[in-house]
PDB file of all heavy atoms in Angstrom:
ATOM      1  N   GLY A   1       0.796  -1.214   0.000  1.00  0.00           N
ATOM      2  CA  GLY A   1       0.000   0.000   0.000  1.00  0.00           C
ATOM      3  C   GLY A   1       0.834   1.272   0.000  1.00  0.00           C
ATOM      4  O   GLY A   1       0.303   2.364  -0.215  1.00  0.00           O
ATOM      5  N   GLU A   2       2.136   1.135   0.233  1.00  0.00           N
ATOM      6  CA  GLU A   2       3.025   2.284   0.252  1.00  0.00           C
ATOM      7  C   GLU A   2       3.659   2.504  -1.120  1.00  0.00           C
ATOM      8  O   GLU A   2       3.579   1.657  -2.012  1.00  0.00           O
ATOM      9  CB  GLU A   2       4.111   2.080   1.318  1.00  0.00           C
ATOM     10  CG  GLU A   2       3.545   1.897   2.727  1.00  0.00           C
ATOM     11  CD  GLU A   2       4.637   1.649   3.759  1.00  0.00           C
ATOM     12  OE1 GLU A   2       5.843   1.769   3.400  1.00  0.00           O
ATOM     13  OE2 GLU A   2       4.299   1.325   4.911  1.00  0.00           O
ATOM     14  N   THR A   3       4.324   3.639  -1.255  1.00  0.00           N
ATOM     15  CA  THR A   3       5.002   3.966  -2.510  1.00  0.00           C
ATOM     16  C   THR A   3       6.370   3.273  -2.546  1.00  0.00           C
ATOM     17  O   THR A   3       7.123   3.333  -1.573  1.00  0.00           O
ATOM     18  CB  THR A   3       5.205   5.487  -2.645  1.00  0.00           C
ATOM     19  OG1 THR A   3       3.924   6.117  -2.631  1.00  0.00           O
ATOM     20  CG2 THR A   3       5.935   5.820  -3.940  1.00  0.00           C
ATOM     21  N   HIS A   4       6.660   2.614  -3.663  1.00  0.00           N
ATOM     22  CA  HIS A   4       7.945   1.928  -3.831  1.00  0.00           C
ATOM     23  C   HIS A   4       8.524   2.286  -5.191  1.00  0.00           C
ATOM     24  O   HIS A   4       7.927   1.976  -6.221  1.00  0.00           O
ATOM     25  CB  HIS A   4       7.767   0.409  -3.737  1.00  0.00           C
ATOM     26  CG  HIS A   4       7.283  -0.066  -2.401  1.00  0.00           C
ATOM     27  ND1 HIS A   4       8.091  -0.075  -1.281  1.00  0.00           N
ATOM     28  CD2 HIS A   4       6.063  -0.517  -2.001  1.00  0.00           C
ATOM     29  CE1 HIS A   4       7.402  -0.535  -0.248  1.00  0.00           C
ATOM     30  NE2 HIS A   4       6.167  -0.809  -0.658  1.00  0.00           N
ATOM     31  N   SER A   5       9.670   2.928  -5.175  1.00  0.00           N
ATOM     32  CA  SER A   5      10.338   3.263  -6.429  1.00  0.00           C
ATOM     33  C   SER A   5      11.479   2.289  -6.665  1.00  0.00           C
ATOM     34  O   SER A   5      11.972   1.629  -5.735  1.00  0.00           O
ATOM     35  CB  SER A   5      10.893   4.687  -6.378  1.00  0.00           C
ATOM     36  OG  SER A   5      11.968   4.770  -5.451  1.00  0.00           O
ATOM     37  N   LEU A   6      11.900   2.189  -7.902  1.00  0.00           N
ATOM     38  CA  LEU A   6      13.018   1.324  -8.250  1.00  0.00           C
ATOM     39  C   LEU A   6      14.264   1.723  -7.468  1.00  0.00           C
ATOM     40  O   LEU A   6      14.991   0.865  -6.951  1.00  0.00           O
ATOM     41  CB  LEU A   6      13.272   1.404  -9.764  1.00  0.00           C
ATOM     42  CG  LEU A   6      14.485   0.633 -10.313  1.00  0.00           C
ATOM     43  CD1 LEU A   6      14.378  -0.843  -9.980  1.00  0.00           C
ATOM     44  CD2 LEU A   6      14.577   0.832 -11.826  1.00  0.00           C
ATOM     45  N   ASP A   7      14.517   3.010  -7.352  1.00  0.00           N
ATOM     46  CA  ASP A   7      15.712   3.485  -6.654  1.00  0.00           C
ATOM     47  C   ASP A   7      15.670   3.145  -5.174  1.00  0.00           C
ATOM     48  O   ASP A   7      16.672   2.714  -4.600  1.00  0.00           O
ATOM     49  CB  ASP A   7      15.855   5.001  -6.832  1.00  0.00           C
ATOM     50  CG  ASP A   7      16.271   5.377  -8.251  1.00  0.00           C
ATOM     51  OD1 ASP A   7      16.989   4.580  -8.882  1.00  0.00           O
ATOM     52  OD2 ASP A   7      15.861   6.439  -8.736  1.00  0.00           O
ATOM     53  N   SER A   8      14.516   3.328  -4.526  1.00  0.00           N
ATOM     54  CA  SER A   8      14.426   3.067  -3.085  1.00  0.00           C
ATOM     55  C   SER A   8      14.599   1.585  -2.778  1.00  0.00           C
ATOM     56  O   SER A   8      15.245   1.208  -1.788  1.00  0.00           O
ATOM     57  CB  SER A   8      13.100   3.572  -2.533  1.00  0.00           C
ATOM     58  OG  SER A   8      12.003   2.827  -3.060  1.00  0.00           O
ATOM     59  N   VAL A   9      14.034   0.713  -3.607  1.00  0.00           N
ATOM     60  CA  VAL A   9      14.162  -0.728  -3.372  1.00  0.00           C
ATOM     61  C   VAL A   9      15.588  -1.183  -3.684  1.00  0.00           C
ATOM     62  O   VAL A   9      16.148  -2.037  -2.978  1.00  0.00           O
ATOM     63  CB  VAL A   9      13.126  -1.511  -4.205  1.00  0.00           C
ATOM     64  CG1 VAL A   9      13.262  -3.008  -3.961  1.00  0.00           C
ATOM     65  CG2 VAL A   9      11.715  -1.067  -3.859  1.00  0.00           C
ATOM     66  N   ALA A  10      16.190  -0.634  -4.730  1.00  0.00           N
ATOM     67  CA  ALA A  10      17.585  -0.969  -5.035  1.00  0.00           C
ATOM     68  C   ALA A  10      18.489  -0.577  -3.881  1.00  0.00           C
ATOM     69  O   ALA A  10      19.410  -1.321  -3.504  1.00  0.00           O
ATOM     70  CB  ALA A  10      18.018  -0.269  -6.317  1.00  0.00           C
ATOM     71  N   GLU A  11      18.228   0.586  -3.289  1.00  0.00           N
ATOM     72  CA  GLU A  11      19.026   1.036  -2.141  1.00  0.00           C
ATOM     73  C   GLU A  11      18.848   0.095  -0.963  1.00  0.00           C
ATOM     74  O   GLU A  11      19.820  -0.256  -0.280  1.00  0.00           O
ATOM     75  CB  GLU A  11      18.614   2.454  -1.755  1.00  0.00           C
ATOM     76  CG  GLU A  11      19.428   3.030  -0.595  1.00  0.00           C
ATOM     77  CD  GLU A  11      19.004   4.445  -0.242  1.00  0.00           C
ATOM     78  OE1 GLU A  11      18.143   4.996  -0.932  1.00  0.00           O
ATOM     79  OE2 GLU A  11      19.549   4.987   0.742  1.00  0.00           O
ATOM     80  N   ALA A  12      17.591  -0.347  -0.726  1.00  0.00           N
ATOM     81  CA  ALA A  12      17.337  -1.282   0.376  1.00  0.00           C
ATOM     82  C   ALA A  12      18.047  -2.614   0.143  1.00  0.00           C
ATOM     83  O   ALA A  12      18.445  -3.292   1.090  1.00  0.00           O
ATOM     84  CB  ALA A  12      15.838  -1.501   0.531  1.00  0.00           C
ATOM     85  N   ALA A  13      18.218  -2.984  -1.118  1.00  0.00           N
ATOM     86  CA  ALA A  13      18.907  -4.235  -1.459  1.00  0.00           C
ATOM     87  C   ALA A  13      20.421  -4.082  -1.451  1.00  0.00           C
ATOM     88  O   ALA A  13      21.145  -5.072  -1.623  1.00  0.00           O
ATOM     89  CB  ALA A  13      18.447  -4.708  -2.833  1.00  0.00           C
ATOM     90  N   GLY A  14      20.891  -2.839  -1.265  1.00  0.00           N
ATOM     91  CA  GLY A  14      22.332  -2.601  -1.241  1.00  0.00           C
ATOM     92  C   GLY A  14      22.973  -2.687  -2.613  1.00  0.00           C
ATOM     93  O   GLY A  14      24.152  -3.036  -2.737  1.00  0.00           O
ATOM     94  N   LEU A  15      22.191  -2.361  -3.663  1.00  0.00           N
ATOM     95  CA  LEU A  15      22.682  -2.470  -5.025  1.00  0.00           C
ATOM     96  C   LEU A  15      22.469  -1.156  -5.766  1.00  0.00           C
ATOM     97  O   LEU A  15      21.596  -0.366  -5.408  1.00  0.00           O
ATOM     98  CB  LEU A  15      21.950  -3.594  -5.773  1.00  0.00           C
ATOM     99  CG  LEU A  15      22.046  -5.007  -5.180  1.00  0.00           C
ATOM    100  CD1 LEU A  15      21.080  -5.935  -5.893  1.00  0.00           C
ATOM    101  CD2 LEU A  15      23.473  -5.528  -5.283  1.00  0.00           C
ATOM    102  N   THR A  16      23.269  -0.938  -6.783  1.00  0.00           N
ATOM    103  CA  THR A  16      23.018   0.200  -7.650  1.00  0.00           C
ATOM    104  C   THR A  16      21.764  -0.078  -8.464  1.00  0.00           C
ATOM    105  O   THR A  16      21.341  -1.227  -8.603  1.00  0.00           O
ATOM    106  CB  THR A  16      24.189   0.454  -8.602  1.00  0.00           C
ATOM    107  OG1 THR A  16      24.299  -0.664  -9.506  1.00  0.00           O
ATOM    108  CG2 THR A  16      25.504   0.622  -7.836  1.00  0.00           C
ATOM    109  N   ARG A  17      21.179   0.961  -9.001  1.00  0.00           N
ATOM    110  CA  ARG A  17      19.966   0.809  -9.819  1.00  0.00           C
ATOM    111  C   ARG A  17      20.221  -0.164 -10.962  1.00  0.00           C
ATOM    112  O   ARG A  17      19.401  -1.044 -11.250  1.00  0.00           O
ATOM    113  CB  ARG A  17      19.543   2.186 -10.362  1.00  0.00           C
ATOM    114  CG  ARG A  17      18.319   2.161 -11.273  1.00  0.00           C
ATOM    115  CD  ARG A  17      18.119   3.508 -11.937  1.00  0.00           C
ATOM    116  NE  ARG A  17      16.983   3.505 -12.841  1.00  0.00           N
ATOM    117  CZ  ARG A  17      15.800   4.013 -12.569  1.00  0.00           C
ATOM    118  NH1 ARG A  17      15.582   4.590 -11.386  1.00  0.00           N
ATOM    119  NH2 ARG A  17      14.825   3.983 -13.453  1.00  0.00           N
ATOM    120  N   ARG A  18      21.355  -0.022 -11.638  1.00  0.00           N
ATOM    121  CA  ARG A  18      21.663  -0.863 -12.793  1.00  0.00           C
ATOM    122  C   ARG A  18      21.851  -2.321 -12.397  1.00  0.00           C
ATOM    123  O   ARG A  18      21.308  -3.226 -13.037  1.00  0.00           O
ATOM    124  CB  ARG A  18      22.921  -0.329 -13.483  1.00  0.00           C
ATOM    125  CG  ARG A  18      23.300  -1.098 -14.733  1.00  0.00           C
ATOM    126  CD  ARG A  18      24.490  -0.462 -15.412  1.00  0.00           C
ATOM    127  NE  ARG A  18      24.878  -1.170 -16.621  1.00  0.00           N
ATOM    128  CZ  ARG A  18      25.890  -0.814 -17.405  1.00  0.00           C
ATOM    129  NH1 ARG A  18      26.628   0.255 -17.092  1.00  0.00           N
ATOM    130  NH2 ARG A  18      26.174  -1.512 -18.485  1.00  0.00           N
ATOM    131  N   THR A  19      22.608  -2.552 -11.291  1.00  0.00           N
ATOM    132  CA  THR A  19      22.846  -3.932 -10.846  1.00  0.00           C
ATOM    133  C   THR A  19      21.555  -4.575 -10.360  1.00  0.00           C
ATOM    134  O   THR A  19      21.279  -5.740 -10.643  1.00  0.00           O
ATOM    135  CB  THR A  19      23.892  -3.948  -9.720  1.00  0.00           C
ATOM    136  OG1 THR A  19      25.107  -3.358 -10.192  1.00  0.00           O
ATOM    137  CG2 THR A  19      24.181  -5.374  -9.262  1.00  0.00           C
ATOM    138  N   PHE A  20      20.742  -3.809  -9.628  1.00  0.00           N
ATOM    139  CA  PHE A  20      19.460  -4.323  -9.146  1.00  0.00           C
ATOM    140  C   PHE A  20      18.558  -4.710 -10.317  1.00  0.00           C
ATOM    141  O   PHE A  20      17.951  -5.786 -10.319  1.00  0.00           O
ATOM    142  CB  PHE A  20      18.772  -3.259  -8.285  1.00  0.00           C
ATOM    143  CG  PHE A  20      17.410  -3.686  -7.800  1.00  0.00           C
ATOM    144  CD1 PHE A  20      17.271  -4.431  -6.644  1.00  0.00           C
ATOM    145  CD2 PHE A  20      16.267  -3.338  -8.516  1.00  0.00           C
ATOM    146  CE1 PHE A  20      16.007  -4.825  -6.203  1.00  0.00           C
ATOM    147  CE2 PHE A  20      15.006  -3.734  -8.084  1.00  0.00           C
ATOM    148  CZ  PHE A  20      14.881  -4.485  -6.921  1.00  0.00           C
ATOM    149  N   THR A  21      18.502  -3.837 -11.321  1.00  0.00           N
ATOM    150  CA  THR A  21      17.641  -4.109 -12.482  1.00  0.00           C
ATOM    151  C   THR A  21      18.084  -5.378 -13.191  1.00  0.00           C
ATOM    152  O   THR A  21      17.249  -6.217 -13.582  1.00  0.00           O
ATOM    153  CB  THR A  21      17.678  -2.923 -13.456  1.00  0.00           C
ATOM    154  OG1 THR A  21      17.200  -1.756 -12.791  1.00  0.00           O
ATOM    155  CG2 THR A  21      16.816  -3.200 -14.677  1.00  0.00           C
ATOM    156  N   ARG A  22      19.400  -5.542 -13.357  1.00  0.00           N
ATOM    157  CA  ARG A  22      19.914  -6.723 -14.046  1.00  0.00           C
ATOM    158  C   ARG A  22      19.610  -7.990 -13.240  1.00  0.00           C
ATOM    159  O   ARG A  22      19.179  -9.003 -13.792  1.00  0.00           O
ATOM    160  CB  ARG A  22      21.417  -6.567 -14.278  1.00  0.00           C
ATOM    161  CG  ARG A  22      22.039  -7.712 -15.092  1.00  0.00           C
ATOM    162  CD  ARG A  22      23.432  -7.376 -15.568  1.00  0.00           C
ATOM    163  NE  ARG A  22      24.331  -7.072 -14.454  1.00  0.00           N
ATOM    164  CZ  ARG A  22      24.840  -5.863 -14.215  1.00  0.00           C
ATOM    165  NH1 ARG A  22      24.519  -4.837 -15.000  1.00  0.00           N
ATOM    166  NH2 ARG A  22      25.656  -5.662 -13.204  1.00  0.00           N
ATOM    167  N   ARG A  23      19.848  -7.934 -11.921  1.00  0.00           N
ATOM    168  CA  ARG A  23      19.591  -9.115 -11.089  1.00  0.00           C
ATOM    169  C   ARG A  23      18.104  -9.421 -11.023  1.00  0.00           C
ATOM    170  O   ARG A  23      17.694 -10.584 -11.036  1.00  0.00           O
ATOM    171  CB  ARG A  23      20.150  -8.906  -9.686  1.00  0.00           C
ATOM    172  CG  ARG A  23      19.871 -10.102  -8.778  1.00  0.00           C
ATOM    173  CD  ARG A  23      20.599 -10.038  -7.473  1.00  0.00           C
ATOM    174  NE  ARG A  23      20.217 -11.152  -6.622  1.00  0.00           N
ATOM    175  CZ  ARG A  23      20.656 -11.345  -5.382  1.00  0.00           C
ATOM    176  NH1 ARG A  23      21.532 -10.500  -4.861  1.00  0.00           N
ATOM    177  NH2 ARG A  23      20.241 -12.374  -4.672  1.00  0.00           N
ATOM    178  N   PHE A  24      17.282  -8.373 -10.946  1.00  0.00           N
ATOM    179  CA  PHE A  24      15.827  -8.579 -10.871  1.00  0.00           C
ATOM    180  C   PHE A  24      15.318  -9.269 -12.127  1.00  0.00           C
ATOM    181  O   PHE A  24      14.553 -10.225 -12.061  1.00  0.00           O
ATOM    182  CB  PHE A  24      15.123  -7.232 -10.676  1.00  0.00           C
ATOM    183  CG  PHE A  24      13.694  -7.371 -10.240  1.00  0.00           C
ATOM    184  CD1 PHE A  24      13.369  -7.318  -8.900  1.00  0.00           C
ATOM    185  CD2 PHE A  24      12.680  -7.576 -11.163  1.00  0.00           C
ATOM    186  CE1 PHE A  24      12.048  -7.464  -8.488  1.00  0.00           C
ATOM    187  CE2 PHE A  24      11.365  -7.719 -10.765  1.00  0.00           C
ATOM    188  CZ  PHE A  24      11.051  -7.665  -9.419  1.00  0.00           C
ATOM    189  N   GLN A  25      15.769  -8.809 -13.266  1.00  0.00           N
ATOM    190  CA  GLN A  25      15.339  -9.403 -14.525  1.00  0.00           C
ATOM    191  C   GLN A  25      15.772 -10.863 -14.621  1.00  0.00           C
ATOM    192  O   GLN A  25      15.009 -11.728 -15.068  1.00  0.00           O
ATOM    193  CB  GLN A  25      15.914  -8.604 -15.702  1.00  0.00           C
ATOM    194  CG  GLN A  25      15.497  -9.119 -17.071  1.00  0.00           C
ATOM    195  CD  GLN A  25      14.015  -8.943 -17.334  1.00  0.00           C
ATOM    196  OE1 GLN A  25      13.460  -7.888 -17.049  1.00  0.00           O
ATOM    197  NE2 GLN A  25      13.370  -9.953 -17.891  1.00  0.00           N
ATOM    198  N   LYS A  26      16.984 -11.143 -14.160  1.00  0.00           N
ATOM    199  CA  LYS A  26      17.495 -12.512 -14.219  1.00  0.00           C
ATOM    200  C   LYS A  26      16.764 -13.423 -13.234  1.00  0.00           C
ATOM    201  O   LYS A  26      16.465 -14.582 -13.543  1.00  0.00           O
ATOM    202  CB  LYS A  26      18.993 -12.522 -13.914  1.00  0.00           C
ATOM    203  CG  LYS A  26      19.637 -13.904 -14.007  1.00  0.00           C
ATOM    204  CD  LYS A  26      21.132 -13.844 -13.744  1.00  0.00           C
ATOM    205  CE  LYS A  26      21.775 -15.227 -13.838  1.00  0.00           C
ATOM    206  NZ  LYS A  26      23.245 -15.165 -13.591  1.00  0.00           N
ATOM    207  N   SER A  27      16.457 -12.909 -12.038  1.00  0.00           N
ATOM    208  CA  SER A  27      15.829 -13.728 -11.000  1.00  0.00           C
ATOM    209  C   SER A  27      14.326 -13.887 -11.192  1.00  0.00           C
ATOM    210  O   SER A  27      13.775 -14.974 -10.999  1.00  0.00           O
ATOM    211  CB  SER A  27      16.080 -13.103  -9.616  1.00  0.00           C
ATOM    212  OG  SER A  27      17.460 -12.989  -9.352  1.00  0.00           O
ATOM    213  N   ILE A  28      13.665 -12.807 -11.566  1.00  0.00           N
ATOM    214  CA  ILE A  28      12.204 -12.803 -11.629  1.00  0.00           C
ATOM    215  C   ILE A  28      11.680 -12.979 -13.043  1.00  0.00           C
ATOM    216  O   ILE A  28      10.599 -13.506 -13.259  1.00  0.00           O
ATOM    217  CB  ILE A  28      11.644 -11.494 -11.019  1.00  0.00           C
ATOM    218  CG1 ILE A  28      12.273 -11.226  -9.645  1.00  0.00           C
ATOM    219  CG2 ILE A  28      10.132 -11.546 -10.907  1.00  0.00           C
ATOM    220  CD1 ILE A  28      12.051 -12.313  -8.641  1.00  0.00           C
ATOM    221  N   GLY A  29      12.448 -12.502 -14.027  1.00  0.00           N
ATOM    222  CA  GLY A  29      12.016 -12.625 -15.416  1.00  0.00           C
ATOM    223  C   GLY A  29      11.053 -11.549 -15.843  1.00  0.00           C
ATOM    224  O   GLY A  29      10.292 -11.726 -16.798  1.00  0.00           O
ATOM    225  N   ALA A  30      11.051 -10.433 -15.124  1.00  0.00           N
ATOM    226  CA  ALA A  30      10.174  -9.317 -15.464  1.00  0.00           C
ATOM    227  C   ALA A  30      10.813  -8.031 -14.964  1.00  0.00           C
ATOM    228  O   ALA A  30      11.796  -8.063 -14.225  1.00  0.00           O
ATOM    229  CB  ALA A  30       8.799  -9.505 -14.821  1.00  0.00           C
ATOM    230  N   SER A  31      10.269  -6.896 -15.359  1.00  0.00           N
ATOM    231  CA  SER A  31      10.756  -5.630 -14.837  1.00  0.00           C
ATOM    232  C   SER A  31      10.214  -5.424 -13.431  1.00  0.00           C
ATOM    233  O   SER A  31       9.203  -6.035 -13.038  1.00  0.00           O
ATOM    234  CB  SER A  31      10.305  -4.474 -15.734  1.00  0.00           C
ATOM    235  OG  SER A  31       8.903  -4.292 -15.630  1.00  0.00           O
ATOM    236  N   PHE A  32      10.873  -4.550 -12.662  1.00  0.00           N
ATOM    237  CA  PHE A  32      10.410  -4.292 -11.304  1.00  0.00           C
ATOM    238  C   PHE A  32       8.995  -3.722 -11.319  1.00  0.00           C
ATOM    239  O   PHE A  32       8.143  -4.117 -10.522  1.00  0.00           O
ATOM    240  CB  PHE A  32      11.358  -3.328 -10.589  1.00  0.00           C
ATOM    241  CG  PHE A  32      10.855  -2.891  -9.244  1.00  0.00           C
ATOM    242  CD1 PHE A  32      10.876  -3.767  -8.168  1.00  0.00           C
ATOM    243  CD2 PHE A  32      10.322  -1.622  -9.067  1.00  0.00           C
ATOM    244  CE1 PHE A  32      10.378  -3.373  -6.924  1.00  0.00           C
ATOM    245  CE2 PHE A  32       9.833  -1.226  -7.833  1.00  0.00           C
ATOM    246  CZ  PHE A  32       9.858  -2.099  -6.753  1.00  0.00           C
ATOM    247  N   GLY A  33       8.719  -2.796 -12.223  1.00  0.00           N
ATOM    248  CA  GLY A  33       7.393  -2.189 -12.293  1.00  0.00           C
ATOM    249  C   GLY A  33       6.317  -3.204 -12.604  1.00  0.00           C
ATOM    250  O   GLY A  33       5.220  -3.179 -12.015  1.00  0.00           O
ATOM    251  N   ASP A  34       6.592  -4.129 -13.529  1.00  0.00           N
ATOM    252  CA  ASP A  34       5.614  -5.154 -13.889  1.00  0.00           C
ATOM    253  C   ASP A  34       5.373  -6.090 -12.713  1.00  0.00           C
ATOM    254  O   ASP A  34       4.226  -6.468 -12.420  1.00  0.00           O
ATOM    255  CB  ASP A  34       6.123  -5.936 -15.101  1.00  0.00           C
ATOM    256  CG  ASP A  34       5.062  -6.862 -15.669  1.00  0.00           C
ATOM    257  OD1 ASP A  34       4.004  -6.369 -16.076  1.00  0.00           O
ATOM    258  OD2 ASP A  34       5.299  -8.089 -15.682  1.00  0.00           O
ATOM    259  N   TRP A  35       6.442  -6.473 -12.014  1.00  0.00           N
ATOM    260  CA  TRP A  35       6.316  -7.354 -10.845  1.00  0.00           C
ATOM    261  C   TRP A  35       5.526  -6.674  -9.742  1.00  0.00           C
ATOM    262  O   TRP A  35       4.647  -7.295  -9.118  1.00  0.00           O
ATOM    263  CB  TRP A  35       7.706  -7.736 -10.346  1.00  0.00           C
ATOM    264  CG  TRP A  35       7.688  -8.513  -9.061  1.00  0.00           C
ATOM    265  CD1 TRP A  35       7.478  -9.847  -8.897  1.00  0.00           C
ATOM    266  CD2 TRP A  35       7.912  -7.976  -7.733  1.00  0.00           C
ATOM    267  NE1 TRP A  35       7.546 -10.190  -7.565  1.00  0.00           N
ATOM    268  CE2 TRP A  35       7.817  -9.062  -6.838  1.00  0.00           C
ATOM    269  CE3 TRP A  35       8.184  -6.709  -7.241  1.00  0.00           C
ATOM    270  CZ2 TRP A  35       7.974  -8.904  -5.463  1.00  0.00           C
ATOM    271  CZ3 TRP A  35       8.350  -6.548  -5.873  1.00  0.00           C
ATOM    272  CH2 TRP A  35       8.246  -7.629  -4.993  1.00  0.00           C
ATOM    273  N   LEU A  36       5.806  -5.393  -9.494  1.00  0.00           N
ATOM    274  CA  LEU A  36       5.107  -4.666  -8.446  1.00  0.00           C
ATOM    275  C   LEU A  36       3.609  -4.598  -8.732  1.00  0.00           C
ATOM    276  O   LEU A  36       2.779  -4.815  -7.837  1.00  0.00           O
ATOM    277  CB  LEU A  36       5.690  -3.257  -8.308  1.00  0.00           C
ATOM    278  CG  LEU A  36       5.052  -2.352  -7.245  1.00  0.00           C
ATOM    279  CD1 LEU A  36       5.171  -2.983  -5.862  1.00  0.00           C
ATOM    280  CD2 LEU A  36       5.703  -0.970  -7.271  1.00  0.00           C
ATOM    281  N   THR A  37       3.264  -4.337  -9.972  1.00  0.00           N
ATOM    282  CA  THR A  37       1.844  -4.309 -10.335  1.00  0.00           C
ATOM    283  C   THR A  37       1.204  -5.676 -10.133  1.00  0.00           C
ATOM    284  O   THR A  37       0.081  -5.777  -9.628  1.00  0.00           O
ATOM    285  CB  THR A  37       1.677  -3.868 -11.797  1.00  0.00           C
ATOM    286  OG1 THR A  37       2.210  -2.549 -11.961  1.00  0.00           O
ATOM    287  CG2 THR A  37       0.215  -3.863 -12.206  1.00  0.00           C
ATOM    288  N   SER A  38       1.909  -6.751 -10.508  1.00  0.00           N
ATOM    289  CA  SER A  38       1.381  -8.111 -10.317  1.00  0.00           C
ATOM    290  C   SER A  38       1.150  -8.407  -8.845  1.00  0.00           C
ATOM    291  O   SER A  38       0.133  -9.006  -8.468  1.00  0.00           O
ATOM    292  CB  SER A  38       2.345  -9.141 -10.906  1.00  0.00           C
ATOM    293  OG  SER A  38       2.422  -9.036 -12.301  1.00  0.00           O
TER     294      SER A  38
END
Protein backbone atom coordinates (compact mmCIF):
# COMPACT_ATOMS: atom_id res chain seq x y z
CA GLY A 1 0.00 0.00 0.00
CA GLU A 2 3.03 2.28 0.25
CA THR A 3 5.00 3.97 -2.51
CA HIS A 4 7.95 1.93 -3.83
CA SER A 5 10.34 3.26 -6.43
CA LEU A 6 13.02 1.32 -8.25
CA ASP A 7 15.71 3.48 -6.65
CA SER A 8 14.43 3.07 -3.09
CA VAL A 9 14.16 -0.73 -3.37
CA ALA A 10 17.59 -0.97 -5.04
CA GLU A 11 19.03 1.04 -2.14
CA ALA A 12 17.34 -1.28 0.38
CA ALA A 13 18.91 -4.23 -1.46
CA GLY A 14 22.33 -2.60 -1.24
CA LEU A 15 22.68 -2.47 -5.02
CA THR A 16 23.02 0.20 -7.65
CA ARG A 17 19.97 0.81 -9.82
CA ARG A 18 21.66 -0.86 -12.79
CA THR A 19 22.85 -3.93 -10.85
CA PHE A 20 19.46 -4.32 -9.15
CA THR A 21 17.64 -4.11 -12.48
CA ARG A 22 19.91 -6.72 -14.05
CA ARG A 23 19.59 -9.12 -11.09
CA PHE A 24 15.83 -8.58 -10.87
CA GLN A 25 15.34 -9.40 -14.52
CA LYS A 26 17.50 -12.51 -14.22
CA SER A 27 15.83 -13.73 -11.00
CA ILE A 28 12.20 -12.80 -11.63
CA GLY A 29 12.02 -12.63 -15.42
CA ALA A 30 10.17 -9.32 -15.46
CA SER A 31 10.76 -5.63 -14.84
CA PHE A 32 10.41 -4.29 -11.30
CA GLY A 33 7.39 -2.19 -12.29
CA ASP A 34 5.61 -5.15 -13.89
CA TRP A 35 6.32 -7.35 -10.85
CA LEU A 36 5.11 -4.67 -8.45
CA THR A 37 1.84 -4.31 -10.34
CA SER A 38 1.38 -8.11 -10.32
